Amino acid sequence: MTRPPDAASGTEWWRTAVIYQVYPRSFADGDGDGVGDLAGLLRRLPYIASLGVDGIWLTPFQPSPQVDQGYDVSDYCGVDPLFGTLAQFDDLLATAHTLGLRVILDVVPNHCSSEHPFFRTAVAAAPGSPERAMFHIEDGPGGALEGDPPNNWRSVFGGSAWSRIAPDSETDRQWYLHLFSPGQPDWNWRNPAVGEYFEGVLRFWFDRGVDGLRIDVAHALFKAEGLPDADRPEDVVDGLRSNPQVSDQEEVHAVYRRWRRLADSYSPARVLVGEVNLAPHRAARYTRPDEMHQAFAFTFATVGWDPAAWARIGTELDTARREHGAPPTWALENHDLVRTVTRFDDGGGRGVVRARAGLLALLGLPGGAYIYQGQEVDLPEVDVPAEARADPMWTRSGVSRDGARVPLPWTIAPAGSFGFSPTDDAVPWLPIPPGWGSMSVEARERDAASTLHLVRAALDLRRSLHEEGVLSPHDGGMWRAEDNGLLVCERSELFLVAVAMGDAPVRLPEGRIILASSALTTEGLLPPDAAAWVCRA
Ligand code: GLC
């Protein structure tokens, strides 16, 4: 196999792409140290290809002190020895392409690691120096040695967003900004040298042949001029959304216009996907035709099993699509969110069947979609023992994202690593719960009715429906929530997705049911907590 054909139109493969998100430290461990790595991933690539996805998105594996599991980057153009070598990455990329998979990497431009050479140089340099101007390094009010930081901003991970740059100094009274942990100083994007530096980073990976980049916290690079106090400082955690001072500044769009031109200058053109955690009408401005290609539909990922909420958000996203031309990019899970099996369970034990229905629905919607590793085997959120938690958010604010980051179980036995590591005595970096052999890839492969097989069937069908012209990259989404709890998204006159979100079985709109997440009732109704694809062609 070579690179996958463009299922959709021309070179715009991303418009309909389904991407599998790999969290490298939890995917597959090749060297037996209990942490997933590139060697493990390389060995398991055929599995990912077997799902029928168009590509993978890899969260950061670049050199990093791992304060925020790699989102604190100390060298943007390398591979952390924990995960392997650059030569292994090149091998991985080549193999992925041979298997027909595109590869998207994470780039983290809002902040780096406090171990990044530029930040270390800034710490050593004098206040007011060009080295310090690469970051937001400021005096406190009145320039006092003690006392308050420069403004009232809070870190997303808890506590002040400012730390003293030289806590032990008797003379250096400056503070540096970190929207996340103190190990992640924010770059000063008002300094053109920062933009130049990142264009070099983009070129480095594009030149190596990566197909696209996912841009971390893409809306926050620029802060309001002068760094004024936030209106609602306690709300910074809420995706940096509610304080206009902290993110979503107009200036950031010029960055994505430049990056788009750079991405377009390659053949084939590279793709940009943004983590833009804003309301749909604001997020859509990042995917105007000359900016990024995709931005995750985040509001969708945070709602529960609620047809009215899905219909409202779906409609908002479709309005944005009509306004700006960019199709929605669906994701129900990622490494920061509570797993859907747990999120959709309102105590009645329906989490698995709902998560499966949600995933099938997602794969039928217009636009692109992301599947997070483990979603295809129904992994739930894990209550990781407090002493094992590694998320910096846990230590700073008591909220832990570790429960969605537990390593993937590959084999039914032996308990402990369940095939995640190559040796039985390896200890996974987060403990895998004892019963997880039954949710391993091996167990799901053996069960013809598993979500794993459903995902394969859905992606296979999706591809042929595109080839036959039943599905089009230009489909819209007419959403409605009916009184009986039925959620409907009509892509076109030819195809619709329906989800039974109420308590009783429901009759589907007219058409041929070509795939469903649960068997229909004997009366031909869709049972509660099931999704179906209905074709009228
Ligand atoms: C993004 C990442 C998250 C990380 C944060 C800071 O939201 O998905 O895991 O902690 O950015 O880089």
Side-chain angles (χ1 to χ4, degrees):
M1 263 197 272
T2 52
R3 284 194 189 211
D6 291 310
S9 63
T11 56
E12 299 193 320
W13 59 272
W14 49 272
R15 282 186 179 270
T16 57
V18 177
I19 304 288
Y20 185 87
Q21 180 192 348
V22 174
Y23 193 67
R25 59 165 48 234
S26 298
F27 187 69
D29 170 18
D31 63 8
D33 66 354
V35 179
D37 48 36
L38 298 185
L41 171 57
L42 179 66
R43 202 159 53 87
R44 298 292 189 180
L45 269 186
Y47 164 75
I48 301 180
S50 82
L51 298 175
V53 294
D54 301 285
I56 55 176
W57 154 34
L58 285 174
T59 56
F61 53 75
Q62 288 80 0
S64 157
Q66 304 292 325
V67 166
D68 186 19
Q69 318 305 6
Y71 281 97
D72 48 318
V73 180
S74 54
D75 173 2
Y76 286 87
C77 301
V79 174
D80 194 300
L82 187 62
F83 298 113
T85 63
L86 206 46
Q88 278 178 316
F89 173 76
D90 288 339
D91 195 15
L92 179 82
L93 184 63
T95 309
H97 285 165
T98 312
L99 289 167
L101 296 170
R102 292 185 164 91
V103 178
I104 294 174
L105 304 190
D106 225 306
V107 65
V108 188
N110 179 68
H111 47 267
C112 58
S113 158
S114 52
E115 295 298 311
H116 189 286
F118 285 6
F119 189 71
R120 294 174 68 124
T121 313
V123 172
S129 59
E131 289 82 359
R132 287 204 172 180
M134 294 293 280
F135 299 90
H136 290 288
I137 301 177
E138 307 280 334
D139 287 337
L145 257 181
E146 301 296 334
D148 292 337
N151 70 21
N152 69 354
W153 295 5
R154 312 285 297 169
S155 142
V156 173
F157 291 164
S160 170
W162 295 91
S163 291
R164 290 280 307 280
I165 195 144
D168 300 327
S169 167
E170 303 272 309
T171 50
D172 191 339
R173 52 200 61 187
Q174 295 211 293
W175 302 74
Y176 70 95
L177 178 69
H178 50 85
L179 289 184
F180 295 88
S181 79
Q184 295 164 291
D186 280 44
W187 293 100
N188 173 14
W189 274 86
R190 294 195 181 274
N191 181 344
V194 171
E196 280 162 30
Y197 172 68
F198 272 96
E199 286 190 27
V201 172
L202 264 60
R203 280 180 206 281
F204 177 84
W205 292 110
F206 287 162
D207 287 350
R208 289 201 108 72
V210 308
D211 301 279
L213 294 171
R214 176 264 191 192
I215 299 151
D216 190 59
V217 215
H219 52 307
L221 311 194
F222 280 80
K223 287 78 179 159
E225 188 103 56
L227 308 176
D229 273 347
D231 301 333
R232 297 156 64 184
E234 296 306 327
D235 273 0
V236 176
V237 172
D238 187 19
L240 312 170
R241 257 190 296 243
S242 25
N243 289 295
Q245 296 81 8
V246 182
S247 75
D248 199 22
Q249 305 297 307
E250 206 47 43
E251 294 90 328
V252 79
H253 294 283
V255 173
Y256 300 126
R257 292 199 176 101
R258 278 200 309 276
W259 289 11
R260 178 62 177 259
R261 283 198 296 276
L262 183 62
D264 282 347
S265 71
Y266 282 81
S267 179
R270 310 308 200 230
V271 162
L272 304 171
V273 51
E275 185 201 28
V276 184
N277 201 345
L278 297 170
H281 72 282
R282 293 301 298 180
R285 300 177 73 246
Y286 290 73
T287 51
R288 289 176 289 196
D290 59 347
E291 298 192 42
M292 291 191 263
H293 302 75
Q294 299 186 313
F296 295 109
F298 268 112
T299 33
F300 207 71
T302 50
V303 290
W305 199 243
D306 175 351
W310 283 51
R312 177 177 48 75
I313 292 164
T315 304
E316 279 172 27
L317 286 161
D318 195 56
T319 307
R321 176 191 67 85
R322 275 183 274 118
E323 215 171 304
H324 297 304
T329 302
W330 309 100
L332 280 172
E333 292 193 13
N334 68 26
H335 61 290
D336 297 328
L337 299 168
V338 174
R339 293 265 189 195
T340 44
V341 165
T342 306
R343 182 147 48 92
F344 291 158
D345 187 355
D346 49 18
R350 304 293 295 166
V352 171
V353 72
R354 286 179 176 177
R356 172 185 164 95
L359 184 52
L360 179 64
L362 206 73
L363 298 178
L365 297 178
Y370 282 67
I371 301 175
Y372 177 44
Q373 66 178 53
Q375 223 179 326
E376 78 281 16
V377 293
D378 313 309
L379 291 189
E381 185 78 3
V382 177
D383 187 11
V384 175
E387 64 281 5
R389 290 180 191 170
D391 184 5
M393 208 160 171
W394 165 247
T395 32
R396 285 180 68 85
S397 68
V399 176
S400 161
R401 298 168 296 177
D402 294 305
R405 300 174 177 180
V406 172
L408 193 63
W410 286 93
T411 51
I412 295 170
S417 94
F418 294 107
F420 168 70
S421 291
T423 50
D424 294 354
D425 55 351
V427 180
W429 74 281
L430 286 177
I432 307 182
W436 271 29
S438 63
M439 285 185 287
S440 62
V441 171
E442 184 185 14
R444 300 309 195 200
E445 290 284 11
R446 287 186 191 175
D447 174 5
S450 68
T451 303
L452 173 57
H453 287 289
L454 179 69
V455 167
R456 284 203 184 109
L459 292 178
D460 197 37
L461 193 52
R462 180 179 163 112
R463 196 173 289 271
S464 17
L465 291 170
H466 272 296
E467 280 162 12
E468 291 158 16
V470 174
L471 298 183
S472 150
H474 304 293
D475 286 345
M478 290 279 288
W479 291 79
R480 63 174 189 272
E482 297 180 356
D483 291 343
N484 57 10
L486 185 69
L487 173 78
V488 177
C489 171
E490 303 215 21
R491 286 180 69 132
S492 66
E493 285 166 6
L494 301 180
F495 188 89
L496 65 85
V497 171
V499 191
M501 289 182 152
D503 297 331
V506 283
R507 185 158 304 284
L508 285 166
E510 208 164 311
R512 229 162 11 101
I513 299 165
I514 53 174
L515 196 59
S517 63
S518 302
L520 301 195
T521 67
T522 43
E523 294 82 36
L525 305 179
L526 189 65
D529 303 325
W533 291 8
V534 179
C535 182
R536 291 160 168 169

